Amino acid sequence: MTRSELILRLAESNPQLYQRDLEAIVDTIFTTIAEAIADGRRVELRGFGAFWAKERKARTARNPRTGASVTVKAKRTPFFKAGKPLKELLNDKVGAGKEGDKT
């Protein structure tokens, strides 16, 4: 689902709200999450999952084409871990279509 699809879905389920207001709400949520992660904080949405940044140390790697050593700088990478209800929802959906299927 893209950002615009999310906004359209919210507009369908909330006809009393203007689309421009929904765009502002979605942008505010995403910006707040991104800023919190950039500040080194963890963002947890109960029932959905948690977002945080992990530190990656500087290291020496190899260029796969030339085999030459390359220095990779230290960096922070965003991570997401799904919450238990989200995992259960995903597994229930997958299991529902496969139940009784012995192939």
Side-chain angles (χ1 to χ4, degrees):
M1 175 181 288
T2 64
R3 178 185 163 278
S4 58
E5 290 171 339
L6 174 62
I7 292 168
L8 287 175
R9 203 120 182 237
L10 289 170
E12 289 171 2
S13 61
N14 297 286
Q16 73 279 12
L17 298 175
Y18 293 111
Q19 186 163 346
R20 67 177 179 267
D21 294 337
L22 291 169
E23 289 174 8
I25 291 167
V26 169
D27 286 342
T28 301
I29 291 169
F30 290 161
T31 301
T32 304
I33 291 171
E35 288 173 352
I37 294 169
D39 289 342
R41 292 179 287 163
R42 177 185 167 104
V43 177
E44 186 174 327
L45 304 172
R46 298 287 168 128
F48 184 70
F51 300 89
W52 73 96
K54 281 190 179 179
E55 301 286 332
R56 298 219 179 228
K57 296 179 181 178
R59 61 187 173 88
T60 302
R62 296 234 174 248
N63 181 329
R65 180 176 282 178
T66 65
S69 292
V70 178
T71 303
V72 179
K73 296 179 184 178
K75 60 184 170 184
R76 295 171 60 201
T77 305
F79 275 83
F80 172 75
K81 181 177 180 184
K84 185 177 177 182
L86 178 58
K87 288 179 189 177
E88 289 173 352
L89 177 66
L90 292 173
N91 289 320
D92 288 347
K93 295 275 184 182
V94 170
K98 304 273 183 181
E99 219 167 301
D101 196 9
K102 304 271 184 194
T103 55

